[in-house]
């Protein structure tokens, strides 16, 4: 039986010889837009302007101190992901609408996508990468694995950072309260009930 | 996001000065609204004045009641023992808004000044008199499901999205501001304004004025309070209708005093004075609640997609009153 | 197959990586010299770009290139005479605009911030033509899609329902819904010389992407490496190669630098598909004792003006219930919108909402229990193909679900059950989705220490493919799961189909099965034992004895001839209990029981999660999800994650998955049928029917928001 969804990508059959024929077309393409040339010419000015616009920033991420100079437009999330290569914190919306970027700033859970990195000067940031102690996972990480609190895993860092904070905040009286106070973390895979179970387990371990 | 100059003044004086010097200069508090708008190009600051280091984060008892520093976060206010004890309505309202993460970032001052969530306001390609005065109101004949029932104008039918402000309106809060010309106080009901011909102005703050604190007067509403927010999903969504209720009941279930305010229905938190007047001195019965809810709807005007609010609003008032008085 | 291991609650094999932030998704690869691409969307809805002013953008700091229709280097596969022309929208290939948000420029810069800012400086002037985004206004413009697949279907007599003693004729509306996976769609492209490119992209099928990109750029497929090891959800949005993926490969070639192009959440509303707005008319005719005499299902869906999209929303009415007469009609309306794409339970989710709602209306009209009505019209053979089912345990689904939810508490008169201040009600909705098996290859390699590595170019968008495959291999080889690694998401691995249509375990699982069986036979042979022996074997000793550092083999596997004699479907019955607030119209799904006949369940733990996740998607479809257009401008007014509401944690209460767990004897050697789609199909109807039972209000337009119930 035929599965429509699998043939959806390449509905037609193709033959390899045809590609080869086509590749000669590539040599016909040799365009260079003016922007590239100009960017090269102007590089010097640009670098000065760039440096002038940068702002110093000292912060600690997962216990590691950083002294940086950055473009003030950079959000904490983009600083983590693109410059410090801590890609555990995720970007799902970039507008505070999903919670995938949740990290702790001085212990409080925040959406790092709406926080300009420079405003975190002097702060201690904890990301998912800083939660475990070496090989030893944080109990919340263990509980997420045990209760299968995720599927694709993309919301998971945010969920776990949120959940760790939630337990600290003491918002774990009942499933309903956990759900309400975990509602800033969207999971499109729909792992919510398992997430609640994982949190309950950690809470019970602690009490 | 466009490039901007970033400054971090050391004291309020410097902050106010720094702001007044920039044409497109903005205070940055939690950033949850401002940074979002900057990303969308809704505001294009030349200068950002980061006020997060100013000493405005305290929550403290003062002679006139409880003072909430402008930089106290929404979570800090909602969880503060004095708030929980004496102003539980405020705590309920704050926790009905946004998400825990956002409430950890959002501040008292920023929450008061957050701008409408009207989709036409956020979309640069569509008309919006609030964003681009004179461009027209996209919502008027457009998708206006979330829009106002009261006090709108033909220039703007947007609503104020703040939940916290609905409670502050009910609690008769006072806003303390400081500008180049000195300090002043603004009664909460006078703080936000109706759109009229100048929908670009959300409030009565003068340019360059800094919110210092919000004061809550002593309150008797410690027990029979409720904040009911009806929305399109159970949490993390803006209100279709929200109602803040505070009742002071005597032992015979008569209403000594009452405060009622509604969110999601106007350009400002909508205090229901006429309903309050009706209820004062009457007994807390479902029948009286129903009448109060009907009174609240006088003058309501709906648009193509928010007709349902004409029914949802009184229903929500009724349900909130019933819950606050312990009748459900 | 031995059940001892299969079905064990093995935790996800990639769990540790996912909970520590160590799992690398496509946008997270660190490449030296990485540049950032940002798309500039058109702000008109139909017409063409007349001129563009890109000077400010080009001069903005850090900008490397601004690619537009006026300077595009082009893509070989865009040429009309290309042997495999690129399908769908060809970015920057011409100046035509088909929908609002269609990219008109790609800005590449040294940083994300710089690219984003420069993108905001691009100006365009347009020639605007009249556009159509309004489905309702254009309802009479529906056309029968091209190709024979969607032509009208008639069994017996068309529209026979009209003559029956009891008639239901109703229309149901399902708005456009967005896949909205959590991960933003992203592609990193890096060329190695002129004829080799490596692409890290969000893909449900690395082989499909490899072929598409090879086609587009005239490359040998083996010169295109596609990597998509972790996929942050997709639900159908990554079944094909999208224009922005081609664009990033184009930009990387032009700049001779790796380019990362990430869509914004807002852009994902127009550029990576959606479940199309569909209006369906159902006609049901029955005898007074509930025997169906006619089913008519008409469906009309939106598609794009520049590419036709179709799905089988009417199909379910042809086979799910016994009826001597059944006919379906399917049309599409081309509009100025981004092209739709299959979304979880494509077609069937839409169709079953209509059919299962109508059936509930019929049960009410007949004063009959909805389950009884379904039993009365139960099919023991596929009436559409006139073939026996390969397996069907839907009756068991009814019974077990009814028992679990407490169906006996369902009030026969709607609006009569109160629980506290809430109105309570129960509903059922069923679904079916074809069970497929595609051709797949798997490579098994055992090292001298006895550890096993298996590779196949399949994907894991969340269901736990690696976990299921590990369980299958562990069971067959008798090697503990902890000593097996399964690798996927890389086009250099043996070919596997795209992850879609709930068929991964069936297809790839079979390949793993066959490869492991062949492996075992070879090892027995090496050990001098009979090939089909079932005696224990010491692999490590065998390898040592033959002085082999490792032993590997690749096996291809596909459907048998015999399977063609059967009609193969997964079936589900969803039971919902809801509360509705009489004053505020709030709906709470108090309980949802999903009972599914999906053959053998290989990995119980991940399968449960997948079922529950599908139910959450179904709750979204039922209660919260709708993409809304302003037809004056042709733009979405809720194209973001705050205003397009997917369910949040507080929307979810008690959801339970129950598996019949009986192997299908024909589909594949494992006996598994697939659950990804079926987990969602039928949920919306179950909830809508429960809302009717609670309130007496029949909502035929999704989503069921508070305003529709007060
Ligand atoms: C996804 C999402 C969902 C949300 N949901 C809700 C909801 O349901 N209910 C709700 O009520 N809110 C909601 N919010 C809004 C949120 O509450 C506001 O964004 C927040 O309160 C703003 O506070 P802030 O400190 O972050 O303000 P900022 O973003 O820092 O500032 C907002 C404005 O106030 C000005 N400003 C800040 N402080 C001062 C001061 N002291 N004096 C003078 N000017 C000042 C700034 O210049 C800026 O113009 C939501 C936000 C998001 C992103
Ligand atoms: S990425 Fe920050 S909330 Fe979505
Ligand atoms: S696990 Fe995929 S979004 Fe939560």
């Amino acid at each position: 039986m035929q599965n429509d969804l699998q043939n959806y990508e390449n509905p037609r059959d193709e033959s390899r010889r045809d590609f080869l024929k086509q590749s000669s077309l590539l040599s016909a393409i040799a365009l260079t837009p003016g922007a590239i040339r100009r960017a090269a010419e102007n590089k010097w000015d640009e670098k000065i302007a760039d440096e002038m616009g940068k702002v110093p920033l000292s912060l600690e991420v997962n216990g590691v101190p950083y002294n940086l100079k950055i473009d003030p437009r950079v959000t904490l999330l983009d600083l983590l992901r693109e410059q410090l290569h801590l890609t555990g914190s995720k970007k799902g919306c970039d507008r505070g609408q999903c919670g995938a970027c949740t990290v702790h700033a001085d212990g409080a859970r925040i959406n790092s996508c709406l926080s300009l990195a420079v405003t975190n000067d002097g702060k201690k940031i904890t990301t998912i990468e800083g939660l475990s102690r070496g090989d030893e996972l944080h109990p919340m990480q263990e509980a997420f694995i045990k209760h299968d609190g995720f599927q694709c895993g993309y919301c998971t860092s945010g969920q776990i950072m949120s959940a760790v904070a939630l337990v600290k905040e003491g918002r774990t009286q009942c499933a309903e309260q956990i759900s309400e106070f975990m509602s800033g973390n969207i999971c499109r895979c729909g792992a919510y009930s398992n997430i609640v179970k994982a949190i309950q387990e950690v809470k019970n371990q602690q009490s | 996001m466009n490039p901007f100059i970033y400054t971090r003044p050391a004291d309020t004086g410097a902050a106010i000065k720094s702001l007044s010097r920039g044409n497109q200069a903005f205070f940055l508090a939690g950033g949850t609204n401002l940074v979002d708008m900057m990303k969308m190009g809704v505001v294009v600051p030349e200068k950002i004045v980061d006020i997060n280091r100013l000493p405005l984060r305290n929550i403290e008892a003062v002679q006139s009641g409880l003072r909430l520093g402008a930089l106290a976060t929404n979570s800090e206010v909602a969880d503060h023992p004095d708030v929980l004890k004496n102003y539980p309505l405020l705590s309920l309202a704050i926790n009905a808004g946004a998400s825990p993460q956002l409430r950890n970032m959002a501040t008292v001052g920023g929450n008061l000044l957050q701008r409408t969530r009207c989709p036409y306001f956020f979309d640069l390609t569509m008309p919006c008199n609030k964003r681009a005065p004179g461009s027209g109101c996209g919502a008027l004949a457009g998708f206006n499901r979330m829009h106002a029932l009261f006090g709108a104008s033909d220039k703007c039918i947007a609503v104020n999205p703040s939940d916290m402000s609905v409670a502050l309106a009910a609690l008769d809060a006072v806003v303390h501001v400081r500008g180049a010309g000195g300090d002043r106080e603004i009664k909460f009901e006078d703080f936000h304004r109706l759109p009229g011909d100048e929908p670009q102005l959300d409030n009565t703050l003068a340019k360059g004025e800094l919110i210092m604190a919000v004061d809550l007067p002593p309150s008797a509403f410690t027990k029979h309070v409720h904040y009911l927010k009806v929305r399109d999903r159970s949490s993390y969504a803006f209100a279709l209708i929200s109602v803040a209720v505070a009742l002071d009941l005597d032992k015979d279930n008569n209403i000594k005093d009452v405060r009622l305010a509604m969110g999601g229905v106007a350009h400002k938190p909508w205090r229901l004075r006429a309903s309050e007047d009706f209820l004062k001195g009457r007994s807390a019965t479902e029948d009286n609640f129903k009448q109060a809810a009907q009174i609240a709807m006088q003058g309501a005007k709906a648009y193509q997609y928010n007709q349902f609010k004409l029914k949802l609003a009184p229903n929500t008032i009724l349900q909130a009153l019933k819950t606050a008085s312990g009748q459900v | 197959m031995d059940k001892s291991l299969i079905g064990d609650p093995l935790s996800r094999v990639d769990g540790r990586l996912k909970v520590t932030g160590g799992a690398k998704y496509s946008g997270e690869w660190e490449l030296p010299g990485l540049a950032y691409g940002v798309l500039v969307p058109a702000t008109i809805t139909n017409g063409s770009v007349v001129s563009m002013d890109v000077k400010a953008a080009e001069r903005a700091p850090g900008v490397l290139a601004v690619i537009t229709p006026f300077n595009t280097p082009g893509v070989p596969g865009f040429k009309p005479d290309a042997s495999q022309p690129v399908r769908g929208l060809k970015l920057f290939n011409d100046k035509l605009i088909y929908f609002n948000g269609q990219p008109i420029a790609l800005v590449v810069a040294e940083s994300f911030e710089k690219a984003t800012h420069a993108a905001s400086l691009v100006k365009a002037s347009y020639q605007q033509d009249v556009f159509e985004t309004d489905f309702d206004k254009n309802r009479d413009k529906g056309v029968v899609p091209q190709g024979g697949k969607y032509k009208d279907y008639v069994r017996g007599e068309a529209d026979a329902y009209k003559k029956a003693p009891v008639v239901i004729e109703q229309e149901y509306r399902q708005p456009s819904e967005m896949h909205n996976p959590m991960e933003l769609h992203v592609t990193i492209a890096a060329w190695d010389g002129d004829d080799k490119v490596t692409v890290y992209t969000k893909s449900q099928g690395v082989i499909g992407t490899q072929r598409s990109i090879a086609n587009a750029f005239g490359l040998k497929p083996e010169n295109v490496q596609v990597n998509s090891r972790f996929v942050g959800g997709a639900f159908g949005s990554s079944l094909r190669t999208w224009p922005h993926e081609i664009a990033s490969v184009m930009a990387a070639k032009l700049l001779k630098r790796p380019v990362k192009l990430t869509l914004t959440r807002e852009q994902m509303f127009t550029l990576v598909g959606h479940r199309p707005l569909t209006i369906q008319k159902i006609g049901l005719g029955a005898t007074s004792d509930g025997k169906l005499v006619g089913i008519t299902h008409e469906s009309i869906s939106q598609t794009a003006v520049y590419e036709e999209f179709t799905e089988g929303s009417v199909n379910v009415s042809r086979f799910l219930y016994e009826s001597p007469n059944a006919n379906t009609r399917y049309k599409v309306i081309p509009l100025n919108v981004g092209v739709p794409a299959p979304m979880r339970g494509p077609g069937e989710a839409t169709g079953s909402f209509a059919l299962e709602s109508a059936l509930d209306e019929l049960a009410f009209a007949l004063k009959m229990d909805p389950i009884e009505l379904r039993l009365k019209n139960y099919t023991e053979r596929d009436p559409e193909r006139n073939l026996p089912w390969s397996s069907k345990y839907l009756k068991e689904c009814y019974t077990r679900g009814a028992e679990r939810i407490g169906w006996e508490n369902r009030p026969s008169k709607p609006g009569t059950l109160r629980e506290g201040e809430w109105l309570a009600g129960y509903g059922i909705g069923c679904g079916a989705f074809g069970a497929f098996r595609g051709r797949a290859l798997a490579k098994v390699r055992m090292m001298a220490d006895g550890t096993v590595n298996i590779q196949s170019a399949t994907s894991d968008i969340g269901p736990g493919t690696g976990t299921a495959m590990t369980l299958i291999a562990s069971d067959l080889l008798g090697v503990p799961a902890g000593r097996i690694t399964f690798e996927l998401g890389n086009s250099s691995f043996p070919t596997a189909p795209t992850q879609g249509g709930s068929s991964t375990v069936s297809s790839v699982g079979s390949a793993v099965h066959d490869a492991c069986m062949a492996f075992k036979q070879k090892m027995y042979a090496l050990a001098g034992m009979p090939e089909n022996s079932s005696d224990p074997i010491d692999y490590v000793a065998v390898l040592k004895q033959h002085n082999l550092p490792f032993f590997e083999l690749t096996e291809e596997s596909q459907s048998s001839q015999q399977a063609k004699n059967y009609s193969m479907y997964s079936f589900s019955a969803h039971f919902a209990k809801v509360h509705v607030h009489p004053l505020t119209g709030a709906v709470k799904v108090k309980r949802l029981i999903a009972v599914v006949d999906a053959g053998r369940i290989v990995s119980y733990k991940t399968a449960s999660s997948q079922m529950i996740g599908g139910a959450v998607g179904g709750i979204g479809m039922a209660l919260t999800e709708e993409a809304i257009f302003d037809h004056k401008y042709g733009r979405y007014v809720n194209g973001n994650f705050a205003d397009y509401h997917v369910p949040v944690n507080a929307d979810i209460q008690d959801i339970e998955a129950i598996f019949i767990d009986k192997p299908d004897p024909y589909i594949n050697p494992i006996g598994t049928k697939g659950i990804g789609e079926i987990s969602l199909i039928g949920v919306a109807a179950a909830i809508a029917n429960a809302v009717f039972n609670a309130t007496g209000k029949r909502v035929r337009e999704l989503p069921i928001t508070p305003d529709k119930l007060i």
Side-chain angles (χ1 to χ4, degrees), chain C residues 544-662:
Chain C
K544 195 163 175 199
Q545 182 197 339
H546 290 270
N547 217 359
L548 291 169
F550 64 86
F551 184 79
E552 69 176 30
L553 62 77
T554 301
E555 199 65 21
E556 177 179 333
S557 152
Q558 57 191 319
S559 200
S560 70
Q561 246 349 82
Q562 190 199 14
K564 296 210 170 73
N565 301 329
Y566 296 91
S567 186
M568 300 193 275
Y569 283 91
S570 286
F571 297 94
S572 62
H574 299 268
F575 290 79
K577 177 183 180 188
V578 303
H579 275 178
V580 181
H581 197 279
L583 282 177
T584 66
V587 180
K588 306 266 174 213
V589 180
K590 300 301 287 181
R591 278 190 90 190
L592 220 146
I593 312 289
V595 199
V596 57
D597 160 24
R600 162 78 47 88
I601 299 306
V602 169
S603 166
Y604 210 86
K605 187 169 173 175
T606 54
S608 283
S609 296
Q610 202 183 351
M611 283 304 300
I612 292 170
V616 172
I619 290 175
M621 178 176 180
L623 300 181
T624 60
E625 294 185 41
E626 173 175 22
I628 301 163
F629 260 116
D630 181 322
H631 298 300
K632 188 162 173 204
Y633 304 98
R635 289 174 71 85
Y636 285 114
V637 286
N638 66 340
N640 60 64
F641 240 177
D643 299 318
Y644 178 97
H645 300 117
V646 305
V648 294
N649 204 317
D651 288 309
I652 303 310
Q653 302 194 11
D654 184 3
I655 307 181
E656 189 182 325
I658 298 177
F659 297 109
I660 301 295
D661 200 6
K662 289 191 181 146

Side-chain angles (χ1 to χ4, degrees), chain A residues 20 24 27 34 39 50 77 85 88 93 95 100 107 116 118 122 129 173:
Chain A
L20 297 178
S24 62
S27 53
D50 227 35
L77 178 61
H85 302 297
C93 69
R95 296 186 60 195
L116 294 180
V118 284
E129 288 94 341
Q173 273 155 32

Side-chain angles (χ1 to χ4, degrees), chain A residues 13-85:
Chain A
D13 278 327
E14 100 253 56
S15 87
R16 258 170 77 191
R17 220 167 307 132
D18 289 333
F19 300 129
L20 297 178
K21 221 168 35 198
Q22 263 181 67
S23 61
S24 62
L25 288 175
L26 277 176
S27 53
I29 301 162
L31 289 179
T32 320
I36 304 172
R37 227 177 31 243
R38 267 195 299 281
E41 284 164 15
N42 295 341
K43 225 161 208 158
W44 189 230
D45 295 8
E46 205 175 275
K47 276 196 176 144
I48 294 177
D50 227 35
E51 280 312 306
M52 302 253 299
K54 283 190 177 169
V55 175
L57 164 67
S58 303
L59 80 178
E60 207 180 285
V61 181
N62 301 331
V64 180
Y66 290 88
N67 290 301
L68 310 161
K69 271 196 97 181
I70 62 160
D71 183 336
R73 292 176 290 181
V74 174
T75 62
L76 179 58
L77 178 61
D78 286 327
L79 175 73
L80 294 169
R81 282 175 65 83
E82 304 297 336
Q83 298 186 34
L84 306 185
H85 302 297

Side-chain angles (χ1 to χ4, degrees), chain C residues 75-409:
Chain C
V75 171
F78 286 179
K79 301 248 153 102
D81 59 349
S83 57
Q84 294 290 320
V86 169
R87 157 170 161 248
L89 192 67
K90 297 164 193 61
L91 282 194
F92 320 130
N93 194 46
D94 57 37
K95 300 176 183 70
L96 297 178
I97 302 296
Y98 304 102
F99 64 95
N100 209 310
Q102 178 184 327
I104 53 167
L106 168 60
V107 177
V108 188
E110 296 285 356
S111 75
F112 172 66
E113 293 74 24
K114 288 171 177 162
T116 311
H117 172 55
S120 74
L121 302 175
V122 172
K123 300 272 175 296
S125 67
Y126 301 97
Q127 144 140 21
Q128 295 198 43
D129 296 338
V130 177
F131 64 84
E132 301 296 342
T133 54
D134 192 341
F135 185 94
D136 298 297
K137 207 179 100 194
N138 289 283
R139 252 191 94 161
D140 53 342
K141 307 220 177 91
V143 293
V144 177
Q146 298 150 19
K149 202 158 129 215
Y150 292 98
K151 63 175 198 275
D152 292 356
Y153 165 84
V154 185
R155 180 169 78 236
E157 187 189 332
D159 300 326
Y161 75 93
K162 290 185 175 165
K163 300 181 211 151
V166 184
V167 173
I168 294 291
E169 189 185 288
Q170 288 296 349
E171 212 172 83
Y172 304 87
R173 181 194 187 89
Q174 179 233 265
S176 292
E177 292 167 13
M178 297 293 158
H179 302 72
N180 267 329
M182 284 304 292
E183 181 193 21
L184 300 174
H185 279 248
V186 61
T187 304
I188 300 177
W191 287 78
D192 174 5
D194 274 348
D195 64 346
K196 282 203 188 74
V197 66
T198 304
V199 180
Y200 306 84
T201 192
K202 183 176 177 65
S203 170
Q204 291 177 247
V206 285
I207 299 294
T209 305
Q210 178 188 45
R211 280 205 261 153
S212 295
I213 289 175
N215 273 350
F217 291 88
L219 301 173
K220 296 183 198 153
E222 61 268 31
N223 281 5
V224 178
Q225 283 305 311
V226 178
N227 190 319
S228 194
R229 172 147 185 231
F230 287 97
V231 181
F235 316 107
S237 68
S238 298
L239 283 168
R240 68 183 285 184
T241 304
W242 292 105
H244 70 271
E245 302 182 81
I246 306 277
S248 57
V249 178
M250 176 215 273
K253 184 172 167 74
L254 177 73
L255 291 167
K256 300 195 187 341
R257 273 177 75 164
V259 171
K260 168 154 88 176
L261 198 170
T262 313
L263 298 186
T264 62
R265 177 61 57 186
E266 289 71 19
Q267 288 169 347
M268 279 170 57
F269 277 70
T270 51
L271 298 182
V272 289
H274 62 276
R275 194 197 295 284
L277 194 168
T278 303
I279 290 182
Q280 304 174 76
K281 197 178 102 183
I282 303 277
L284 295 180
T287 59
S288 53
D289 65 345
K291 213 70 197 111
L292 284 168
V293 295
I295 305 178
T296 297
H297 190 153
E298 290 174 14
S299 174
I300 181 158
S301 264
Q302 76 180 23
T303 184
V305 292
Y306 61 94
E307 186 183 351
E308 189 172 85
F309 173 81
T310 55
E311 60 181 11
S313 51
V314 295
N315 296 3
V316 64
S317 291
R318 300 174 184 168
F319 65 81
L320 194 55
Y321 298 105
E322 191 68 67
S323 172
N325 305 294
N327 66 303
T328 65
R329 303 184 181 99
Y330 177 70
K331 284 184 178 171
V332 289
I333 306 178
L335 296 173
N336 291 104
V337 300
V339 71
M343 176 165 156
R344 200 169 194 174
E348 265 77 357
T350 303
S352 91
F353 163 63
L355 177 65
E356 293 294 290
S357 292
L359 221 66
D360 204 63
E361 303 209 42
L362 180 62
F364 182 69
L366 290 164
K367 298 196 171 58
M368 210 171 160
D369 182 283
I371 297 180
E372 203 188 314
L373 177 64
R374 284 170 174 80
L375 285 171
K376 192 134 206 171
N377 296 286
Y378 199 78
T379 49
E380 297 291 1
R381 275 172 81 80
D382 178 350
E384 181 188 5
R385 296 194 179 85
N386 196 20
L387 288 175
W389 306 112
S390 57
S391 61
K392 180 181 180 184
Y393 299 99
L394 188 53
K395 258 186 200 158
E396 284 82 342
C397 295
Y398 296 156
T399 325
R400 292 193 51 189
E403 195 181 287
R404 192 80 186 126
I405 195 126
W407 190 253
E408 70 277 7
N409 299 322

Side-chain angles (χ1 to χ4, degrees), chain B residues 140-294:
Chain B
L140 203 54
F143 185 71
N144 44 35
R145 181 166 184 270
M146 301 294 288
H147 291 72
L149 294 179
F150 300 99
S153 74
D154 58 358
K155 299 279 189 302
C156 179
I157 60 171
V159 298
N160 182 302
S162 168
D163 289 298
M164 184 177 91
S165 293
V166 182
L168 291 178
L171 294 170
D172 279 340
V174 176
V175 185
H176 293 258
V177 306
R178 176 173 295 171
D183 291 7
R184 64 180 183 120
E185 292 179 5
I186 308 172
K187 283 201 303 198
F188 203 82
E189 264 189 284
D190 299 333
F191 185 80
H192 295 99
R193 60 185 292 285
L194 291 176
D197 285 338
E198 290 182 305
Q200 68 273 25
L201 303 177
D202 291 352
N203 51 59
T204 54
L205 212 57
K207 188 180 154 22
E209 271 181 327
L210 177 72
I211 297 178
M212 302 289 288
V214 172
D215 279 7
L216 294 168
S219 159
F221 305 109
T222 54
K223 202 163 152 219
H224 299 291
V225 298
H226 192 56
Y227 188 77
L228 179 58
K229 183 175 178 185
V230 183
R231 41 193 154 171
D232 283 325
R233 64 181 171 197
S234 303
S235 188
Y236 204 11
F238 289 93
L240 294 168
I241 298 284
S242 69
V243 173
V245 182
L247 290 167
D248 187 7
L249 301 175
D250 70 13
K251 59 180 191 326
D252 300 322
N253 222 25
N254 292 316
I255 301 169
K256 287 199 292 187
D257 198 1
V258 56
R259 301 288 172 76
L260 271 172
M262 207 170 6
V265 295
H267 199 253
K268 61 188 286 185
W270 199 243
R271 182 81 180 259
L272 307 177
R273 293 265 182 200
S275 305
E276 289 176 6
D277 289 346
F278 171 82
L279 285 172
K280 259 177 234 167
R282 288 179 205 257
S283 65
T285 62
E286 175 150 0
D287 213 45
N288 283 331
F289 292 162
K290 273 188 184 154
Q291 288 193 54
Q294 283 317 318

Side-chain angles (χ1 to χ4, degrees), chain A residues 90-94 96-99 101 111 113:
Chain A
K90 304 300 182 196
K91 188 187 276 192
C93 69
D94 216 15
Q97 303 172 348
C98 78
C101 63
N111 297 116
C113 68

Side-chain angles (χ1 to χ4, degrees), chain A residues 131-193:
Chain A
L131 212 53
S132 52
R133 294 226 171 75
D135 270 355
E136 195 193 327
L137 295 182
H138 186 282
M140 193 61 79
Q141 292 171 313
E142 293 279 12
F144 265 63
I145 294 177
K146 178 171 164 196
H147 293 280
D148 210 28
F150 53 91
Q151 291 174 44
C152 77
Y154 201 77
C155 71
T156 311
S157 307
Q159 300 280 2
I160 292 175
M161 296 312 286
S162 219
V164 169
L166 173 103
V167 172
K168 229 172 44 186
E169 291 160 13
R171 310 260 195 212
T172 50
Q173 273 155 32
C174 57
E176 208 175 317
Q177 191 186 39
I178 294 173
S179 284
E180 171 58 32
F181 284 86
M182 283 300 289
S183 282
N185 292 84
I186 290 176
C187 175
R188 187 54 158 160
C189 295
Y192 296 128
S193 37

